[in-house]
Amino acid sequence: MSRATATGGLAILLWSSLAALAVVTRRLPPFETLALSFAIAFAAGLVMLAARRRLARLRQDWRAWALGFAGIFAYHAFYFIALDQAPAAEASLINYLWPLLIVLFSALLPGERLRARHVAGATIGLTGTALIVLAGVGAAGRGSALGYACAFAAALTWAAYSVANRRLRAVPSDLIAGVSGLVALAAALVHLAVEPSIAPRGGEWMALLGLGLGPVGLAFFFWDHATKHGDLAALGTLSYATPLLSTGLLIVCGEARAGAALVLAAALIVGGAAVSVGLPRFIPPAASNPSR
């Protein structure tokens, strides 16, 4: 595994805490949470760039800014709305179809092709998603079609962004600091236009700080570098651990129950991902050495 691909694994570990931290801020309006967490990420990123004398690296082509903003802002807008409108575990599992979608989308890149196992894996994964939706309102008793739709839109957005980011290999990952500031500003404007303002409390501030420094902050620097220089299919494979880690953390925190439908849905989504990647072929030592 390359160092760039391994760096993506660090982002995946940080993202496993995203749902649990976001649940703590559920009392806050979605775009207010988005604005505050990305403002923290922006401030931390600027400090890091200034300390390393890399602020000049923010001068990049507008297309790099546009892709970064569109992908990160749209994904998080969909994701936080999903968590606001549907139970955290169910919304998160639907959202975590993005690793499977990355594998599917990367198969369509030049030199690659869509295989039968990709289609089979997608079908199994979507069956798991359908199980969540058909289960109704979920454990928390307040799921909605809007919440489920936004969770799927988040998955689609993040997969498309991750694959498209491959075209910007020459752009340094330092740009993520500036993009975080742009996302924070846009979220603040939307918040002021459509949402009431609610002052965060002590525990909510801690969760916002955790979001800004971890799954909404450092994780994006790692992921940006990984998608530009690592193996996209391998990154999709590594990402299949995220829904299990995320759902497990929600269960430990008391935000989800390990019911049969949830466990089966998780198994289908992760199992579909495994099918899409395929198992490595095993060649017995005797067959690989003709002299024996």
Side-chain angles (χ1 to χ4, degrees), residues 5-240:
T5 305
T7 300
L10 296 177
I12 290 163
L13 287 176
L14 289 173
W15 281 331
S16 66
S17 66
L18 178 59
L21 288 171
V23 164
V24 178
T25 65
R26 178 173 264 170
R27 189 180 67 93
L28 306 177
F31 284 96
E32 181 180 349
T33 301
L34 196 61
L36 291 173
S37 56
F38 271 96
I40 293 170
F42 173 59
L46 282 188
V47 169
M48 181 181 69
L49 292 184
R52 303 176 71 180
R53 299 181 180 179
R54 291 184 173 180
L55 287 174
R57 294 193 176 188
L58 294 179
R59 298 172 185 169
Q60 300 295 331
D61 187 85
W62 69 269
R63 286 169 292 188
W65 282 89
L67 178 62
F69 171 76
I72 294 176
F73 178 77
Y75 168 74
H76 284 87
F78 284 133
Y79 185 64
F80 282 115
I81 292 173
L83 288 179
D84 188 60
Q85 296 292 321
E90 286 86 337
S92 292
L93 277 177
I94 293 174
N95 166 66
Y96 284 128
L97 280 171
W98 63 257
L100 176 57
L101 293 174
I102 284 178
V103 173
L104 292 175
F105 292 167
S106 64
L108 299 175
L109 290 173
E112 300 289 342
R113 63 190 180 89
L114 193 64
R115 302 178 184 275
R117 56 184 169 84
H118 294 143
V119 177
T123 302
I124 296 172
L126 288 175
T127 301
T129 303
L131 180 62
I132 293 173
V133 177
L134 293 176
V137 296
R142 58 186 201 85
S144 72
L146 174 62
Y148 296 137
C150 284
F152 184 75
L156 202 62
T157 299
W158 191 248
Y161 162 73
S162 297
V163 175
N165 202 38
R166 190 72 161 195
R167 296 179 177 271
L168 301 176
R169 291 185 182 182
V171 177
S173 297
D174 302 290
L175 183 63
I176 294 297
V179 170
S180 295
L182 200 58
V183 171
L185 177 61
L189 292 175
V190 175
H191 163 64
L192 293 174
V194 304
E195 294 176 340
S197 295
I198 299 177
R201 298 168 182 167
E204 291 166 340
W205 275 117
M206 293 301 295
L208 288 169
L209 182 63
L211 284 169
L213 296 179
V216 171
L218 192 59
F220 287 114
F221 288 89
F222 291 154
W223 190 251
D224 184 81
H225 179 73
T227 53
K228 287 174 179 174
H229 305 287
D231 185 329
L232 281 175
L235 285 170
T237 305
L238 288 173
S239 300
Y240 301 146

